Amino acid sequence: MRNILQVVVFLTALFAIVLCSSENYAFSQMNKTGGYADQVKFIRFSNENVAYQEVTNGHLDSYFFQIPLHLVESAKKNSNLEVFEKEGLSYGLLINPYNASQTFNPFSIKEIRFAMNFLIDRNFIVNNILKGFSNPIVEPYGPTSPEYHNVIPVVDPLKIHYDLTLATKSIKDSMIKAGAIMDGTGKYTLNGKAVLVKILIRNDDLLRKSFGDFVASEVEKVGFTVVKEYGDLTKANRVVYGSDPADLEWNVYTESYISSSFSRYNPTTVSQMYAPWFGNMPGSQNPVFWQYSNSTIDDLTQKLVFNNFTSEIERNNLLRQAESAGLQEAVRLFFARSFDPYISSSKISGLINDYSAGIANKLSLINAIKNNTDNSTLNIGMKEVYQGAWNNVKGCTDFYCRIIYSLVADTPTISNPYSGDPEPSRNMWTYLFSKGPTDTVIVPSDALTWNPFNQSWDKNKNQSNSALTKVTMTPLFSNWHNGELMDKYDLLYSYYFPFEWSTDTKNNDKTFDAEYSSLIFPTLSLIKGIKFYDNNTFDTYVDLWHYDKKLVPSYGTLWPSEPWEITAATERLVADNKLSYSKSDANIKHIDQLSLNLPVQSELIKRELIKMSNENYVPNPLKGLISLEYALERYKSSIDWINIHHNAVIGNGPYYLETFNPTGGVVTLNAFRDNTYPFKTGIYSDFENPPELRIDRINIPKFLKIGDPYDFDLLLGLNNLSNGSNSFSGIIDHFISDRNNKIVVEGSTVINNISNNHSDSKGQHQLDESGAVTISLNASQTQELIPGPAKIKLIITSTESPKPLIQENTLIARP
């Protein structure tokens, strides 16, 4: 299952009792496990104005969608509300580059795709559509990402900006070269036929629709005949991601997506947005479809994701090259990132405003408390409650599923909400071997890997294998929601699954999903083995290394999100073509995608479990390891669960799925108050206040003499330091651009143990004079400037939180 990815790919890319209004209430929570709330209800409110009123009058505790922008100021003044800002949706375009022989596709021409960067006015989108609650972007990271300073050197030289004249000329030159002419109405034709551009526009809400309509109008202005088609995410999944690009059902899709998780190192963003192997580009890596391919981007991003580098410099160069190639290919374009205002009732405390997810995250919901009330049910409004299949292989790709499911199934690690660094959760890290990029450890002879060709566990018999990393883990087992105790066989099954379902053994392999395989198969060679011990600990051996040791233990994590028997039952259904794990495979076979929460599909799973019980069935990866009695007991417990709850969503998290009613728009989770659950209520309260980096003083001289040394200094501070520390460390990256916007000077200054030992009357720390940081440029660096205005950009991060603080100043370079 997908959790094995955390063994080899950090695609994931997510403690004190919270102060309450009543001491007695706080005392009553001390011996509880899981979240404060006994129940969490997710309720559909498609109309944001209605949701705003429902939170105001106390019927909703929070709304996990942005409120209308014209209500933000009144919300800030409303004593019944708290307003939280989060980095929201990114608005962009996905372009179909298929080069058709019968129907001309103008976007098969790279120069036309790239010209779209200059055709669409980003400032208009920011100011007129998103009403200023956003920033223009030209690449997928944006200025709030810790990776921003790494990609600036390849982004800025492209000088991407709104230039209608440039865009029109570039498009015209390419169209004429392709043989097109412009008729008397100002429209391009080719061989007597109008050149059509089919634009699929998301209309889930007014902002998405307005963005799409604006793009369509601009494309039409330069001479294309535009056909607009509207649809929600469900339609987009079918038309854009689930169809063959060669069918040309679409040319342009006005895409909006949630930014990936905030992380100090984020290779998944550049991979997800540009790399075909990741399965998110036209064709979705389905072998039946035409595929957009780019071996250069694939090679660069796989090196990034699989840590195929030996130093930080090499790693950052790979990132820059991948970003540069993706920008110039222009299959996916970026225009704006919103900063969405979310609201909650002022009666709710404990919400955690994660840097990437805002308050709409797992830790926030677990830590939320309703004050001055006996009602412990959290009522959370959402735009939708169901938009796609719920399964743990290639489902749960939408925001709504991810939020709800995060409470149902735990993960082996959590992401620190302010640094993005992995921290142990259900896997405790007890030993780590990981030295240098060439230092290895021998994989023992009894370490296991699954062989899908002979359907057995292989052992490293001759001890010929070695690995860069060995991690010893202690899993924190608990009861599944159906009452059965988790065990090593659940772990072992989740270890087996990716080998089985991402490897095509040919001969009409029924346990193979091409879309799943595109992402997973490249990781298999890095998995060197697993060894279990009688005390429930296990060692994992992985051929991955990183210069930042904080990341390395997460590569060896292993954790199942559902009992092995549920996975085994769905495997049989998928192999019999009754259901499919992935969307593209479902479309090809004209069957439904597996969704564990749907009563009809849950009934199929239950019937399969009954058949397995009647057959005395034991799955191949567990044969010889478990008793028949144990297997039959597992089947019975899951059958009983489905009979009672009418769903097959059986997790190991702090809440379980009680009811799922998509028609009525309500999903209800109840607290799993089980004494085997390992985490006490209030464990995440330390995350309530984010660290905040400040510039207390900056002294940059207005004039710079070319060829002379140049110094400037600044004074930094950091609020909410953890563990009572009075100092912090970080890095200041500086970039100086000349009047032509060319970066001519760049460098980094490491800051160690900056003093942070004075507080003002509000409790905010202020630096003393000894904490000033000086940045120096030598004469040869300033010699690179040309006379005229220049721009200096500082990107400052701290070790405690790598979220950039950006400062820009203008200075005059003179001879």
Side-chain angles (χ1 to χ4, degrees), residues 31 51 64 151 287 315 428 435 461 491 541 573 627 711 782:
N31 293 315
F64 281 9
V151 299
R315 183 261 179 199
M428 304 306 294
K435 294 183 178 179
K461 295 178 181 178
L491 292 172
Y541 296 84
L573 290 169
S627 68
D711 295 343
T782 65

Side-chain angles (χ1 to χ4, degrees), residues 579-591:
L579 295 168
S580 181
Y581 285 126
S582 68
K583 187 66 175 177
S584 61
D585 191 58
N587 287 346
I588 291 169
K589 296 177 180 177
H590 304 290
I591 55 179

